[in-house]
Amino acid sequence: MENRIIEVIESLDDMRFLTPADENAVSAAEEALGLRFAEEYREYVKKYGVISSVEVELTGVTEAKRLDVVAVTERERELTEDFPKDMYVVENIGIDGILVLQNSKGEIFYIAPGRRAEKVANSLAEYIEMVKEER
């Protein structure tokens, strides 16, 4: 499957980003979480660091703790009893405790309090396109 994450991100409305992450910062974030990010997530954070748009507000590798994938994932691991250890938070929807998670294969899942992770997309690019269609 071709990686289309940059093309999809660039199609977002009113997209804003912070400082791109370098390879050392990405590797340090992976080490802190004890996992490897999906290739498309690595590509995204190396290009943008973290993004926010009308459609989505994704975590990333950044010093902004509210959107930092390590800080957000570690906090959710503490708060959510059955948080999958092989996944990381890519977005906090902000409604009913719903989180969007990704695994190292790139698959996207929703998880909510008292519910198991449910797969909703095969990639972050597919998830973003799904959200764009819904809005």
Side-chain angles (χ1 to χ4, degrees):
M1 179 170 63
E2 183 182 329
N3 193 349
R4 304 175 307 110
I5 190 63
I6 302 305
E7 173 188 337
V8 171
I9 287 173
E10 289 177 353
S11 76
L12 292 169
D13 294 326
D14 197 25
M15 193 276 290
R16 297 163 193 252
F17 66 96
L18 297 178
T19 307
D22 64 22
E23 179 62 37
N24 290 336
V26 175
S27 294
E30 291 173 323
E31 187 174 324
L33 293 174
L35 51 73
R36 178 145 172 102
F37 297 136
E39 286 306 313
E40 70 173 350
Y41 191 82
R42 296 178 111 260
E43 185 177 343
Y44 143 62
V45 297
K46 286 181 178 180
K47 173 98 174 162
Y48 298 110
V50 65
I51 67 162
S52 179
S53 74
V54 172
E55 297 92 352
V56 295
E57 183 176 64
L58 303 181
T59 64
V61 177
T62 179
E63 293 182 11
K65 293 299 179 201
R66 186 179 71 78
L67 293 174
D68 179 61
V69 66
V70 173
V72 172
T73 301
E74 286 177 341
R75 182 176 62 246
E76 295 301 334
R77 283 178 175 174
E78 290 175 11
L79 296 173
T80 307
E81 187 174 319
D82 293 331
F83 192 97
K85 298 295 183 203
D86 62 337
M87 297 187 198
Y88 47 94
V89 178
V90 295
E91 186 173 32
N92 183 337
I93 304 264
I95 301 169
D96 297 331
I98 298 172
L99 302 172
V100 181
L101 309 180
Q102 185 171 45
N103 64 20
S104 63
K105 294 182 211 172
E107 300 167 319
I108 300 293
F109 298 79
Y110 284 160
I111 191 170
R115 300 181 69 181
R116 293 195 180 276
E118 172 188 346
K119 184 176 172 182
V120 295
N122 291 313
S123 68
L124 186 56
E126 186 179 298
Y127 166 73
I128 293 169
E129 289 176 325
M130 180 182 80
V131 170
K132 281 181 68 171
E133 284 180 17
E134 290 174 356
R135 295 189 181 167

